[in-house]
Amino acid sequence: MLFSFESFATLNHWLGAFWRLIQLNLLWMLMTLMGLVVLGFGPASYALASCLDGWVRRGEGPPTTATFFRRAREQGFRPVVMGWVLLGAGTVIVVNLLSLSDWYLRVANLVALAALVLIGAYVFFVMAATEVVGARRQIVTALLLGIGSLHWSVLGATGVALAYLAMFRLAMPLLLLLGAVLPALLVALILRSAWRDLPRDPEAVRTDAPAPLTKGVPA
């Protein structure tokens, strides 16, 4: 069976998008390691969220390496502080889970860990796409977004977990190439519908790159 030109163009589009996702994941890993995690996790996660939000929701072209590093610097030290908050809270919760023996305290810490995962998944998107200011307000907004989209978050997390398992068993290199970007892409797709009425700031849309990731995908 012969492929039409349109089929080849569509295949080329999705292969290009797949490579861009791998590139974003590698840039996230590079920046995180360059900052020894403590200084690199926040800016890298903010840049990843900002690039995916622009690509998926605002219709910007696929982000480049220069775009990623520019986004990482655009909010100064604030992503670093947010990274400290998330890493510090995660460390405390994990230590509590490993050291506490009372079941009710362990349950409380598991609930806190689930809330922290939701906050960590959404908070950098809140920083990148909204005018909410202040770490506390951004954290609260991220938690409310996570709870409001909990059904999609659970379904998406299940799908990502299954994808991780398949890659772990069948294609370990893909797990390293896509490990961080898959859940971030999931959140970007969830927020694409949740933030349908949020202004897209058309002046910020870049026209020097190919078509957006969601070309041909119904809103």
Side-chain angles (χ1 to χ4, degrees), residues 105-171:
L105 293 177
R106 294 178 65 86
V107 169
N109 278 273
L110 285 173
V111 172
L113 181 61
L116 182 65
V117 170
L118 283 178
I119 292 169
Y122 287 90
V123 71
F124 292 107
F125 285 90
V126 171
M127 295 177 67
T130 72
E131 296 182 355
V132 177
V133 295
R136 184 176 66 177
R137 292 182 62 190
Q138 290 166 346
I139 288 172
V140 171
T141 302
L143 181 59
L144 293 177
L145 275 172
I147 294 174
S149 306
L150 189 59
H151 55 302
W152 291 115
S153 299
V154 171
L155 289 173
T158 301
V160 170
L162 291 175
Y164 281 169
L165 179 61
M167 288 186 288
F168 179 78
R169 300 189 63 178
L170 303 174

